[in-house]
Structure formats: C-alpha cells, structure tokens
C-alpha cells in the first residue's frame, strides 16, 4: 500500500468518535435552517407541522444517503479521505444540485402527465396521507441515486488526484481538517441546498384570487373596483319614500320663495 502523507485524515477518521460527533452536530445545525425557513414563510401560507415534516423528511433521507455514500467512497482509496470527501461534497453542491433540479422537474412532469396526484411533490391529500409521503420519498431517493451515480462517474475522470493533493495540503492538523471538511463547509453549503431544494419540492401555495361570498366567486380586483364605484356613486340605499318627501319638501320651499308676498291695506 502506498504510504499516507504526513498531513490529512487517517483511514476511518470520518467514522471515528470525533467524526461522528461532528456529523451529528452538522445534521442538527443544517436541519435547523429548514425550521427557520418555515417560520420565515407568510402566516397565511405557513405549512402545518405535519406537512413540514413530510416535506423536509424527504431531504433528510436524501441527504443521509448522499452523506454515507460519500463516506464510503472516501475510504475506498489510500488517498486522504477528508480531501476525497470534500471533492465529493463540492461536486454534489454544484453539478449535483443541477442534477437534482433536473430530476425533480422530469419526475414532476411525468407524474402530472400520468395524473398520479399523490406523487406530486408536496401534495399529500386532504387529510394528508402517509402513503403519498412514502411514494414521494421513494421518488426523491431515486433522484439522489441518479445524482450520486453521475457524480461517481465524473470522479473517474483523471486529474482529480492532483486537486485532492493540494486541496487541504496546507492544513497540517488532521483534527482541524476534519472540522473543516465535516462541519464548517458542509454546514454552509447544506444550509443553502436545503433551502433551495425545499422550495422545489414543497407545495406551491398560490395567492387566493377568489373569495366565496354567498356562493359566488369574486376577484379582489373586481371587489376593489366595485367598492370604488360605490364610494364614488350617490347613495342609492336610502328609502325611496323618504327621498320623495325630501324632494317635495325642497320643491315646496322653492315655490314659497318664488311666490310674491302681498300686504292687504284696509
């Protein structure tokens, strides 16, 4: 076996006690961004906790698959596993993100074309059905398998070894390298990826353009137009008899003002 360099992680460092602790901390911090995203949603469109769990758990399953696949691939060679894990992670966050977006779009188009309602990402029925969530998890996991397969084929291209040698070669401390590779960089990138992917697979809540009033639908624009017309037009809701009395009263007053006054002198 080729000798390992003096710097870098040793074999099995990613699954050591310190590495597992960093991974657990990473998972906690990264998925807290999804909770923050839920609270940033408008109150009228904020997902219930059950729907939020259904949406985010798909990402959790996909992220765990990608993570353990990267850990497994990083220990296959005699190279520095931290550097190889970082290369895998960078490719997942760049080219892999594009593949995930493409996979979600293609799967969504096929599902809508075949009219599989419960397999539309973010749609779980009313009330929400666990079967729909399971089906969507399987579809999303298949997208992750497709993405990781393409990334693994890209890594077979010659030239990655040189990049791997210089990527973290300036860090002599293996513990510091492990912190950067397993926590700092993944946390920043995963927070962005989770936010973007959650927006892709969540239900798109459209603005409610119609309001049901006494069984009829009325758009907000039409309602505002009608209100403005009512405000600008004379009040037509008062009693007709009262209006006739007021008009006759005004007419009588005008007649009295027009009639000449006479004084009788005896």
């Amino acid at each position: 076996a080729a000798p390992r360099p003096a710097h870098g992680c040793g074999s099995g460092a990613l699954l050591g006690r310190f590495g597992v602790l960093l991974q657990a901390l990473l998972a906690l911090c990264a998925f807290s961004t999804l909770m923050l995203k839920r609270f940033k949603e408008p109150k009228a469109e904020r997902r219930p906790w059950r729907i939020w769990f259904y949406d985010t758990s798909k990402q959790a399953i996909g992220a765990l698959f990608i993570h353990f696949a990267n850990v497994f691939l990083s220990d296959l060679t005699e190279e520095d596993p931290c550097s190889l894990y970082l290369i895998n992670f960078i490719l997942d966050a760049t080219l892999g993100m594009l593949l995930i977006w493409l996979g979600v779009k293609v799967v969504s188009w096929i599902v809508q074309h075949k009219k599989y309602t419960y397999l539309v990402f973010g749609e779980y029925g009313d009330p929400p059905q666990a079967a729909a969530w399971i089906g969507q998890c399987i579809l999303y996991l298949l997208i992750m398998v497709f993405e990781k397969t393409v990334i693994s084929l890209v890594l077979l291209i010659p030239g990655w070894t040189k990049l791997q040698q210089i990527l973290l070669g300036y860090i002599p401390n293996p513990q510091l390298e492990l912190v950067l590779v397993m926590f700092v960089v993944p946390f920043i990138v995963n927070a962005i990826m989770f936010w973007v992917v959650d927006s892709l697979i969540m239900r798109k809540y459209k603005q409610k353009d119609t309001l049901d009033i006494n069984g009829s639908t009325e758009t907000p624009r039409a309602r505002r137009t009608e209100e403005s017309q009512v405000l600008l037009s004379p009040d037509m809701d008062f009693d007709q008899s009262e209006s006739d009395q007021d008009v006759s009263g005004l007419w009588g007053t005008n007649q009295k003002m027009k009639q000449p006054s006479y004084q009788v002198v005896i």
Side-chain angles (χ1 to χ4, degrees):
R4 286 191 178 276
H7 62 82
C9 300
S11 178
L14 300 180
L15 293 177
R17 181 177 299 178
F18 185 62
V20 172
L21 178 63
L22 289 176
Q23 294 173 53
L25 184 61
L26 169 65
L28 179 63
C29 294
F31 282 101
S32 65
T33 60
L34 291 174
M35 188 174 296
L36 175 63
K37 182 178 183 295
R38 179 186 180 273
F39 286 112
K40 294 289 289 184
E41 296 172 357
K43 276 191 175 182
E45 301 177 2
R46 186 173 298 169
R47 291 168 289 178
W49 282 110
R50 186 176 182 180
I51 301 299
W52 177 86
F53 171 77
Y54 282 171
D55 287 341
T56 57
S57 58
K58 292 194 289 287
Q59 284 207 72
I61 294 173
L64 287 175
F65 168 77
I66 294 296
H67 172 75
F68 286 113
N70 290 340
V71 171
F72 173 76
L73 293 174
S74 299
D75 274 334
L76 288 181
T77 66
E78 293 296 326
E79 304 294 337
D80 179 13
C82 286
S83 299
L84 188 56
Y85 180 89
L86 187 59
I87 291 177
N88 275 277
F89 187 80
I90 292 174
L91 287 175
D92 288 329
T94 52
L95 178 59
M97 190 67 194
L98 179 62
L99 294 173
I100 292 173
W101 175 83
L102 181 62
V104 169
K105 292 298 182 181
V106 171
V107 169
S108 298
W109 181 83
I110 295 175
V111 166
Q112 291 179 0
H113 182 70
K114 297 294 184 179
K115 297 181 179 180
Y116 298 144
T117 307
Y118 285 149
L119 293 181
V120 176
F121 286 124
E123 297 287 348
Y124 308 102
D126 188 15
Q129 302 293 325
W133 168 70
I134 294 174
Q136 294 177 32
C137 286
I138 294 174
L139 286 180
Y140 189 75
L141 186 58
L142 290 177
I143 294 174
M144 294 296 102
V145 172
F146 164 73
E147 183 267 345
K148 195 66 236 177
T149 302
V150 175
I151 296 300
S152 300
L153 294 177
V154 171
L155 283 174
L156 296 178
I157 301 175
W160 293 107
T161 305
K162 294 181 179 180
L163 177 61
Q164 183 177 338
Q165 292 174 354
I166 65 175
L167 195 60
L168 296 174
Y170 58 91
I171 302 178
N173 191 336
Q175 299 291 334
L176 178 59
E177 183 176 342
L178 192 61
V179 170
L180 289 174
V181 170
M182 298 299 293
F183 181 74
V184 177
V185 176
F187 170 70
I188 297 173
V189 178
N190 273 331
I192 299 174
M193 288 182 62
F194 287 161
W195 198 291
V196 173
V197 174
D198 186 60
S199 299
L200 285 176
I201 64 177
M202 69 179 289
R203 177 183 176 185
K204 302 301 184 295
Y205 288 91
K206 298 181 179 179
Q207 184 178 3
K208 296 181 180 180
D209 292 332
T210 58
L211 298 174
D212 189 5
I213 301 176
N214 295 329
S216 62
T217 58
E218 181 183 8
T219 62
R221 180 177 299 178
R223 180 163 52 86
R224 289 194 300 267
T225 303
E226 183 180 351
E227 289 176 353
S228 61
Q229 292 176 353
V230 170
L231 290 174
L232 294 176
S233 62
D235 190 3
M236 300 300 294
D237 295 333
F238 58 84
D239 187 73
Q240 185 66 27
S241 61
E242 293 180 358
S243 63
D244 293 341
Q245 291 177 3
D246 293 341
V247 171
S248 62
L250 291 174
W251 179 258
T253 304
N254 292 335
Q255 290 296 330
K256 290 179 181 179
M257 292 177 62
K258 291 181 180 179
Q259 289 178 358
S261 59
Y262 297 95
Q263 289 184 352
V264 179
V265 180
I266 300 176

